[in-house]
Amino acid sequence: MNQSAAGAVSKKSSRIRSSKGDIIFDTCNYIFLTLLMIVTLYPFLNTAAVSLNNATDSIKGGIYLLPRMWTLDNYAYVLKESTIFHATMISVLRTVIGTIATVFCSAMVAYTITRQEYVLRKFVTIAFILTMYFNGGLIPNFLLIRDLGLLDNFWVYIFPGLIGVFNLIIIRSFIEGLPESILESARIDGAGDFKMFYSIVLPLCVPVLATVALFSAVYQWNQWFDVFLYNSSNIDLSTLQYELQKILQNSNASLTTKSAGDAFANAGNTGANTVTPFAIRATMTIVASLPIIMVYPFLQKYFVKGMTVGGVKG
């Protein structure tokens, strides 16, 4: 009885020590994650505060989480351009089409190079990976786009980025982790490669496909340099990012006609709101980021699972 009682006391004290260790670990973990959240959110909240603050007043500094002089003039300045809404529709269109095309094509190629019976799979994989490190350069790419007849063409936003090598690697790793017995059973039942791809592989790859879709959507939405290179002469194909870039350039140009000292002097006048490049940059950041921020919560659960499973084979 004495030994049993001693053993029970020992186990109880061990559980107490374990629970104290768990409490300390959880407390440190919560503190660290809270600090990480603050560090992550603060730049965005500060940018939002600057975008909602009087532009000339922002020159004084001292704006952190809340605007000092609330105003929507910065957004009115950015959104007053007649081309903004049409450019937004083009950005949405290229993001939707480009994301769907990239995800589908990358998944199809990833499935192909995971098949053992495809004898060229190693060569094709190496060829794709080499493109991540070697590039023809700006001028050869432009000449290629010109020779393909994609200048002043909407499809220049879609075709060059159909296969993303990074996305391809993630999807391939995910597919390699799928049970081979499922595919073998489907093949025994008479299913071909297309049938297995559409009916088995794609449904099982939803988490990693959602992850790749998020990567692709962010890339397509933020692009503006390809518009500048290939479609700058066609206003009907201009995107939101390119129009915002032009607005920023115009604000920089207009600032050269007015000294920063004059703008700072106007900061004492509550009725004055001389739009500055600093305020325009903050406003552009919020306008460009909101659509992706609104989409992310719907893909978050797939994003976490896709990155976890897709990054580790098996």
Side-chain angles (χ1 to χ4, degrees):
M1 291 294 294
N2 293 336
Q3 291 180 353
S4 300
V9 172
S10 177
K11 292 181 179 179
K12 183 177 180 179
S13 60
S14 177
R15 287 196 298 268
I16 293 175
R17 288 196 298 269
S18 178
S19 62
K20 288 182 178 179
D22 292 341
I23 292 174
I24 294 175
F25 174 79
D26 291 340
T27 301
C28 295
N29 197 23
Y30 290 145
I31 293 174
F32 172 75
L33 292 177
T34 301
L35 293 175
L36 182 62
M37 180 187 67
I38 293 173
V39 171
T40 304
L41 286 179
Y42 175 75
F44 181 80
L45 296 177
N46 176 256
T47 302
V50 172
S51 70
L52 291 170
N53 194 75
N54 184 284
T56 52
D57 178 72
S58 299
I59 299 176
K60 296 179 180 179
I63 299 175
Y64 301 105
L65 295 177
L66 293 175
R68 188 166 47 230
M69 297 176 59
W70 290 81
T71 183
L72 294 177
D73 290 347
N74 299 325
Y75 289 91
Y77 180 86
V78 170
L79 300 177
K80 71 179 180 179
E81 299 292 333
S82 58
T83 57
I84 285 292
F85 295 100
H86 179 76
T88 301
M89 295 305 299
I90 296 297
S91 290
V92 171
L93 191 62
R94 74 169 289 181
T95 299
V96 172
I97 297 177
T99 300
I100 294 174
T102 297
V103 170
F104 180 78
C105 293
S106 298
M108 186 177 295
V109 175
Y111 171 74
T112 302
I113 62 178
T114 59
R115 297 299 87 208
Q116 297 291 337
E117 58 270 21
Y118 181 47
V119 295
L120 295 178
R121 64 190 186 91
K122 291 186 178 180
F123 172 79
V124 173
T125 302
I126 294 174
F128 273 113
I129 293 177
L130 286 177
T131 62
M132 298 179 66
Y133 302 98
F134 302 99
N135 191 295
L138 185 61
I139 295 178
N141 283 337
F142 180 84
L143 296 177
L144 175 62
I145 294 298
R146 184 197 63 183
D147 294 341
L148 291 175
L150 292 178
L151 292 181
D152 293 331
N153 194 314
F154 174 81
W155 297 107
V156 74
Y157 303 145
I158 309 300
F159 291 154
L162 276 180
I163 306 295
V165 180
F166 179 73
N167 300 334
L168 179 67
I169 294 173
I170 293 178
I171 300 175
R172 185 198 65 175
S173 299
F174 192 97
I175 294 176
E176 288 178 342
L178 297 177
E180 187 66 25
S181 58
I182 298 178
L183 300 179
E184 290 297 330
S185 299
R187 189 178 298 276
I188 292 173
D189 291 337
D193 285 321
F194 282 103
K195 180 67 175 178
M196 289 191 296
F197 177 73
Y198 290 119
S199 302
I200 299 176
V201 175
L202 284 184
L204 292 176
C205 289
V206 168
V208 73
L209 295 181
T211 303
V212 171
L214 182 62
F215 290 158
S216 178
V218 172
Y219 169 80
Q220 289 285 0
W221 180 260
N222 288 333
Q223 277 292 85
W224 67 269
F225 193 59
D226 54 357
V227 186
F228 172 73
L229 288 177
Y230 310 126
N231 288 334
S232 58
S233 61
N234 191 343
I235 191 63
D236 292 332
L237 295 177
S238 183
T239 62
L240 175 63
Q241 306 296 338
Y242 185 59
E243 291 301 316
L244 293 177
Q245 178 70 14
K246 291 197 297 184
I247 292 174
L248 179 60
Q249 290 178 347
N250 292 337
S251 66
N252 286 328
S254 65
L255 187 64
T256 59
T257 63
K258 185 177 183 65
S259 66
D262 292 340
F264 184 81
N266 286 335
N269 183 1
T270 57
N273 184 32
T274 302
V275 178
T276 62
F278 178 64
I280 292 301
R281 280 194 296 269
T283 306
M284 287 169 50
T285 301
I286 300 301
V287 170
S289 301
L290 277 180
I292 296 298
I293 293 175
M294 294 171 63
V295 170
Y296 179 76
F298 298 99
L299 299 176
Q300 182 180 11
K301 61 178 182 180
Y302 299 112
F303 178 80
V304 174
K305 184 177 179 182
M307 286 301 294
T308 302
V309 182
V312 180
K313 181 178 178 181

